[in-house]
């Protein structure tokens, strides 16, 4: 009889950005929902989550995905809990305000690296300047291996039920993006973490790794962001100029708290150049890719209803922290 492999995934205790960890648990039956996955323990002293003298941490399954990369397999995204049942201080998912009508779309940018440089870069020096790489085609624009990897990754994610909306080659050579959309406070963030896991694991077999850092090199090369598109029921259905302006005031007031949640080293990326606003300014604009927050002309024409893009979160940011912070600021703004 087949045994089923459940890969329990969680975030470790490293700061400023946690790493993904995973270990396999075997089961006699396939789980039909996350409720069929029991809690499990791990050695928190090896992940910066506990002392050796009292090392157990608990894994609480929160989302289940089919895993087409292995036979008879599933991925089980987990929250880390203390032995007493409370959430672990590193558990950034636990504190997100629940709102099943909140929608998020995250645009994850990243570089694929091999031998210490992006795929397609020469051993010495730099490739030709940016221009033709974004959405490009052909060996000179995107090389050979990269597209193989991003296409395999897309198929793995789709098989897992992850709600990808699109993928594209990005502005710098060796830089790529995927977009994931999810309804509910946590769905999109769960999916992004699992998509990151699948990409890291897939790349192992090509001796390639993912560089998530937001600015892997200085000079005239785009950094990597993770724009966060968001809406609540109120923003989609009621909106209005006054509410939007109140919301932007709250974003401005909480500027530093947002930056804190938006990923490390963001001062290297948010310079005011390369389609960014500078890190110490807050601005919003219509169709303005140099603003902190962008809305479309359609949003304005539709009486300030639709969705909003916060362009500041970076590629290395924790999607739980990002979505959680945005919902917290939204919760501070009265809807009438
Ligand atoms: P761009 O690169 O121009 O910023 P993308 O297409 O890469 O645009 O990303 C925009 C994302 O916005 C979509 O992929 C989708 O996930 C997200 N989105 C669309 N509608 C909504 C909505 N109502 N609420 C939240 N996010 C949305
Ligand atoms: Mn995009
Ligand atoms: Mn992009
Ligand atoms: Mn965007």
């Amino acid at each position: 009889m087949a045994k089923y492999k459940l890969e329990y995934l969680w975030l470790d205790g490293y700061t400023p950005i946690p790493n993904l960890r995973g270990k396999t648990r075997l089961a006699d039956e396939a789980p039909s929902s996350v409720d069929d996955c029991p809690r499990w323990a791990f050695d928190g002293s090896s992940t910066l989550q506990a002392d050796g003298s009292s090392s157990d941490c608990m894994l609480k399954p929160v989302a289940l995905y089919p895993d087409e990369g292995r036979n008879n397999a599933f991925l089980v995204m987990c929250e880390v809990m203390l032995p007493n049942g409370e959430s672990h201080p590193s558990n950034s998912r636990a504190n997100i305000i629940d709102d099943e009508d909140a929608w998020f779309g995250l645009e994850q940018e990243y570089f694929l690296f091999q031998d210490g440089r992006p795929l397609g870069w020469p051993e010495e020096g730099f490739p030709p300047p940016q221009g033709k790489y974004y959405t490009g085609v052909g060996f000179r624009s995107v090389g050979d291996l990269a597209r193989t990897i991003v296409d395999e990754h897309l198929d793995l994610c789709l098989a897992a039920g992850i709600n990808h909306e699109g993928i594209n080659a990005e502005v710098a050579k060796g830089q790529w993006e995927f977009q994931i959309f999810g309804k509910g406070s946590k769905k999109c963030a769960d999916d992004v973490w699992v998509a990151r896991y699948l990409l890291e694991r897939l790349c192992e077999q090509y001796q390639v790794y993912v560089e998530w850092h937001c600015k892997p090199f200085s000079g005239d090369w785009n950094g990597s962001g993770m724009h966060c598109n968001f809406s609540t029921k109120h923003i989609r259905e009621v909106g209005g100029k006054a509410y939007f302006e109140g919301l932007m005031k709250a974003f401005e007031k909480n500027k530093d708290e947002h930056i804190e949640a938006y990923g490390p080293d963001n001062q290297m990326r948010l310079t005011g150049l390369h389609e960014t606003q500078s890190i110490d300014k807050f601005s919003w604009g219509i169709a303005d890719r140099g603003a902190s927050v962008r809305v479309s002309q359609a949003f304005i024409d539709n009486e300030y209803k639709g969705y909003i893009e916060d362009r500041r979160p970076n590629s290395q940011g924790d999607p739980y922290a990002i979505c959680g912070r945005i919902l917290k600021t939204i919760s501070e703004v009265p809807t009438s």
Side-chain angles (χ1 to χ4, degrees):
M1 210 181 58
K3 289 264 192 186
Y4 293 87
K5 300 164 200 143
L6 310 186
E7 188 74 8
Y8 277 52
L9 305 178
W10 72 96
L11 301 174
D12 68 17
Y14 282 68
T15 55
I17 280 300
N19 302 285
L20 282 158
R21 306 282 181 135
K23 60 173 184 160
T24 308
R25 179 188 177 104
L26 291 153
D28 289 331
E29 284 175 38
S32 52
S33 84
V34 72
D35 300 329
D36 293 337
C37 304
R39 291 193 179 204
W40 201 15
F42 71 95
D43 167 18
S45 73
S46 299
T47 60
L48 299 187
Q49 283 163 312
D51 288 333
S53 56
S54 170
S55 65
D56 268 9
C57 286
M58 301 304 296
L59 293 172
K60 174 187 159 193
V62 293
L64 179 69
Y65 302 81
D67 181 4
E68 204 157 77
R70 295 163 103 186
N71 293 327
N72 301 318
F74 294 85
L75 301 167
V76 184
M77 191 66 201
C78 297
E79 283 187 21
V80 176
M81 312 300 283
L82 296 166
N84 69 7
E86 289 171 16
S87 67
H88 190 277
S90 66
N91 181 346
S92 52
R93 188 181 188 276
N95 302 320
I96 303 174
I97 296 171
D98 269 316
D99 178 358
E100 61 183 35
D101 293 316
W103 298 357
F104 287 99
L106 288 163
E107 305 171 51
Q108 172 77 67
E109 295 178 336
Y110 60 93
F111 282 86
L112 292 175
F113 263 61
Q114 193 167 45
D115 300 328
R117 59 183 188 275
L119 285 184
W121 283 44
E123 246 172 83
E124 305 270 335
F126 296 90
Q130 293 183 164
K132 293 188 187 165
Y133 305 128
Y134 170 74
T135 60
V137 64
F139 179 72
R140 283 177 295 184
S141 289
V142 294
D144 48 0
L145 185 52
R147 197 184 294 279
T148 304
I149 293 174
V150 299
D151 272 339
E152 280 186 40
H153 176 243
L154 177 59
D155 283 339
L156 281 171
C157 288
L158 293 176
I162 292 174
N163 197 16
H164 270 253
E165 293 235 310
I167 61 172
N168 59 271
E170 265 303 335
V171 173
K173 188 167 197 181
Q175 189 185 33
W176 293 79
E177 168 175 319
F178 57 79
Q179 303 111 33
I180 291 178
F181 175 78
K183 294 184 177 179
S185 308
K186 298 165 190 172
K187 171 76 176 139
C188 179
D190 285 337
D191 282 6
V192 168
W193 273 120
V194 174
R196 286 178 176 182
Y197 174 84
L198 287 170
L199 185 58
E200 293 269 18
R201 194 184 67 183
L202 173 68
C203 285
E204 291 167 359
Q205 60 191 274
Y206 296 104
Q207 284 115 49
V208 166
Y209 60 95
V210 189
E211 180 52 84
W212 303 102
H213 193 271
C214 70
K215 198 77 184 179
F217 13 72
S218 52
D220 212 2
W221 298 97
N222 272 35
S224 297
M226 189 166 61
H227 299 164
C228 183
N229 302 273
F230 63 91
S231 62
T232 57
K233 197 167 199 280
H234 190 80
I235 296 171
R236 290 190 300 276
E237 295 178 8
V238 182
K241 188 168 188 223
Y243 176 75
F244 176 72
E245 286 176 356
L247 190 61
M248 290 302 98
K249 265 210 182 78
F251 268 67
E252 181 154 28
K253 189 182 107 212
N254 291 304
K255 178 175 76 66
D256 295 343
E257 289 78 4
H258 280 253
I259 292 296
E260 182 72 22
Y262 282 179
D265 300 331
N266 227 353
Q267 75 285 353
M268 298 170 72
R269 164 180 166 259
L270 299 179
T271 56
L273 302 173
H274 303 111
E275 304 177 28
T276 67
Q277 173 58 288
S278 106
I279 193 163
D280 45 53
K281 295 207 182 89
F282 176 84
S283 66
W284 68 270
I286 304 161
D288 180 0
R289 289 169 190 269
S292 318
V293 166
R294 175 176 71 118
V295 290
S296 64
Q297 186 61 47
F299 178 86
I300 305 293
D301 295 346
N302 194 27
E303 293 165 5
Y304 294 78
K305 291 196 290 266
Y307 71 94
I308 298 167
E309 176 186 49
D310 192 331
R311 302 177 58 77
R312 296 168 297 169
N314 80 34
S315 48
Q316 211 178 9
D318 169 4
Y320 294 137
I322 295 165
C323 297
R325 181 61 241 183
I326 288 174
L327 288 176
K328 186 149 188 271
T329 297
I330 291 175
S331 77
E332 293 170 7
V333 180
T335 49
S336 60

